Amino acid sequence: MANESGTWVMYGVCEDDPECIHTVEEAIAYINEIGFLPLFKNDIPGFSLEERTVPEYWWSGNHERDPWEWREIIARSGQVAYGKFFDKKAGFISKEWFPYFANYRRDGYDFDALWDDEKASMRQKKIMDLFTEENADAELYSFEVKQNAGFGKNGEKNFEGTVADLEMKMYLCMKDFRQRKNKKGESYGWTIAVYSTPEHLWGYEHITSAYREDSKESWKRIVNHMNEVYPVATEAQIYRVLGISKDGIPQRRKSNRSVPKDWIIPANPKYYDVVGAFETSDIVTWKQSSDIHVGDIIYMYVAAPYSSILYKCRAVEVDIPYNFSDENLTLKQAMKVELLKKYESGVWSFERIKQFGVYAVRGPRNMPVELKREMESNG
């Protein structure tokens, strides 16, 4: 932190202080114990790696003692996620706590669903397109992301801010720091941040494992944990450092459109026997997690072992208060859908709908016009 004279002043502890972190292994262990930790000092006293390390070692270049070097080792380790997760400033989140941050910050939206709901910017989409579909396991230097997404001279502006927004919403993280390589494959220069998705780091199932609970519940879980481990933190400080909006949670606003919309939504038979439900009734109560209106058409994609669109339905009632929770699912709001048509398993398989740009059905998303036309023309 810079003082009045412009000199950078680090806050920390003495070597022999009981709270001093001496090695990167101790740092990883502490982050996993606490759950999440900013890199630098912030509004909450003691809530940073900076304040638990020896100031003199910062930027010393000593891999064994320099916390600035540790951040690279920690990111590379895969044991802890690293990124601009705290008020657009750098920090760490453990594997255990990341799903709750993802659920709260994303409000249950995977990025493709966020885009479909018109809640993401074109700049964000240009970046995330580099990490989706066949590029889901991509690891890209920051300069590669900037160039390939069209930022820079005569292109898109505010690259750093856009990436920071995506990190804050838990769609990107810094997986590593690496040197560039010349044409001979030789490394040179300073290390550069390498970006990937958290899903690439720890898998989609883990990252989205908290989607089963309401995003407000994940936020409460985070706040309660902060109150336990940092009781000196005020409510305002917690919101400022950990929140992403004035009210602490992202707010969904239902549109006032009057024209019906077509959706594809997922159904997982591991959690609910949707096939059995439609065999006994043409109207089923279903989780509502998007901007769905009465009259909207819903194509239901049923996961393995079917991995196909099996049903075409119409929303006949929406915004139904619904209180249900088990180990797999939490419902606060539901809708009723009426069955219009059944499709044979395998006819509209995942491999087939991929040809129309549907590379994932992880949440409610727009129905591509070409796919709808194909399904209607082929019965």
Side-chain angles (χ1 to χ4, degrees):
M1 180 177 293
N3 61 18
E4 293 180 359
S5 65
T7 304
W8 194 266
V9 178
M10 298 301 293
Y11 294 83
V13 293
C14 298
E15 187 85 37
D16 57 356
D17 192 300
E19 294 188 347
C20 181
I21 295 174
H22 301 87
T23 67
V24 67
E25 290 79 15
E26 289 181 6
I28 292 174
Y30 182 73
I31 295 163
N32 281 324
E33 176 188 350
I34 296 300
F36 38 92
L37 188 71
L39 181 63
F40 293 118
K41 185 178 184 298
N42 53 78
D43 287 353
I44 302 173
F47 185 46
S48 70
L49 183 62
E50 174 187 346
E51 292 162 277
R52 293 182 178 272
T53 54
V54 180
E56 290 78 12
Y57 284 116
W58 280 83
W59 295 290
S60 66
N62 184 337
H63 284 332
E64 294 184 359
R65 299 307 309 270
D66 184 353
W68 185 248
E69 301 286 335
W70 292 354
R71 87 196 197 289
E72 298 188 10
I73 300 171
I74 294 172
R76 190 176 302 124
S77 74
Q79 298 180 60
V80 171
Y82 176 69
K84 293 183 178 179
F85 301 140
F86 302 95
D87 195 22
K88 297 188 180 181
K89 297 178 179 64
F92 312 93
I93 300 178
S94 71
K95 185 175 182 179
E96 176 186 357
W97 276 92
F98 200 95
Y100 301 111
F101 274 86
N103 186 45
Y104 154 60
R105 297 272 184 83
R106 298 178 180 183
D107 196 20
Y109 278 107
D110 288 335
F111 186 80
D112 51 2
L114 191 77
W115 171 254
D116 285 342
D117 260 10
E118 301 179 354
K119 296 178 182 293
S121 70
M122 178 56 73
R123 291 175 181 174
Q124 292 174 339
K125 186 176 190 304
K126 286 182 176 181
I127 291 175
M128 290 306 299
D129 280 349
L130 303 176
F131 297 94
T132 56
E133 302 165 7
E134 67 272 14
N135 301 316
D137 292 327
E139 298 178 9
L140 300 176
Y141 286 104
S142 58
F143 70 86
E144 292 178 314
V145 177
K146 185 175 183 178
Q147 292 172 359
N148 295 340
F151 285 77
K153 187 176 181 179
N154 300 322
E156 296 286 356
K157 309 298 183 184
N158 193 29
F159 173 72
E160 295 296 335
T162 305
V163 170
D165 285 338
L166 291 169
E167 290 176 271
M168 280 295 293
K169 293 179 180 177
M170 320 309 288
Y171 293 119
L172 285 181
C173 65
M174 298 183 215
K175 189 178 184 297
D176 200 354
F177 289 81
R178 301 170 190 160
Q179 293 176 293
R180 295 190 191 214
K181 290 187 177 182
N182 60 25
K183 294 181 180 179
K184 296 180 180 180
E186 300 168 332
S187 300
Y188 70 95
W190 298 101
T191 56
I192 300 171
V194 174
Y195 289 99
S196 78
T197 63
E199 285 83 351
H200 172 56
L201 179 64
W202 286 324
Y204 179 79
E205 291 300 322
H206 178 76
I207 297 302
T208 62
S209 59
Y211 276 18
R212 63 181 180 268
E213 71 179 24
D214 189 277
S215 60
K216 294 180 182 179
E217 295 303 314
S218 290
W219 172 246
K220 289 179 183 177
R221 189 188 297 268
I222 293 168
V223 172
N224 290 340
H225 184 68
M226 280 296 299
N227 289 332
E228 291 177 6
V229 296
Y230 287 95
V232 298
T234 66
E235 182 179 353
Q237 289 172 330
I238 294 173
Y239 277 127
R240 190 156 49 248
V241 176
L242 301 180
I244 57 174
S245 71
K246 182 178 180 181
D247 297 322
I249 59 170
Q251 298 294 320
R252 293 184 182 216
R253 292 186 292 273
K254 201 173 184 69
S255 70
N256 57 3
R257 60 180 170 83
S258 57
V259 178
K261 185 174 179 179
D262 299 313
W263 301 87
I264 301 177
I265 66 172
N268 193 331
K270 289 195 304 182
Y271 302 146
Y272 181 77
D273 183 13
V274 64
V275 174
F278 276 125
E279 286 178 352
T280 58
S281 176
D282 285 344
I283 295 181
V284 169
T285 300
W286 199 259
K287 179 179 180 180
Q288 183 180 341
S289 57
S290 197
D291 182 34
I292 296 177
H293 292 230
V294 170
D296 285 0
I297 300 299
I298 296 166
Y299 294 83
M300 196 171 290
Y301 173 87
V302 184
Y306 304 96
S307 301
S308 305
I309 294 177
L310 295 187
Y311 306 107
K312 177 182 179 181
C313 309
R314 178 188 293 111
V316 294
E317 188 175 351
V318 299
D319 302 331
I320 305 169
Y322 204 92
N323 189 12
F324 172 83
S325 181
D326 64 12
E327 67 276 11
N328 298 313
L329 181 67
T330 295
L331 270 70
K332 300 292 185 182
Q333 184 172 265
M335 61 182 174
K336 289 185 178 181
V337 297
E338 179 184 18
L339 179 64
L340 301 178
K341 188 177 183 64
K342 292 183 180 181
Y343 303 99
E344 291 294 325
S345 178
V347 173
W348 298 104
S349 66
F350 179 65
E351 290 303 316
R352 188 172 182 184
I353 65 177
K354 275 173 60 177
Q355 300 173 22
F356 297 89
V358 182
Y359 294 95
V361 188
R362 297 166 177 165
R365 56 172 297 151
N366 288 340
M367 175 65 161
V369 174
E370 291 300 322
L371 176 56
K372 178 182 179 181
R373 184 179 296 122
E374 185 73 10
M375 292 183 71
E376 290 181 344
S377 64
N378 285 275

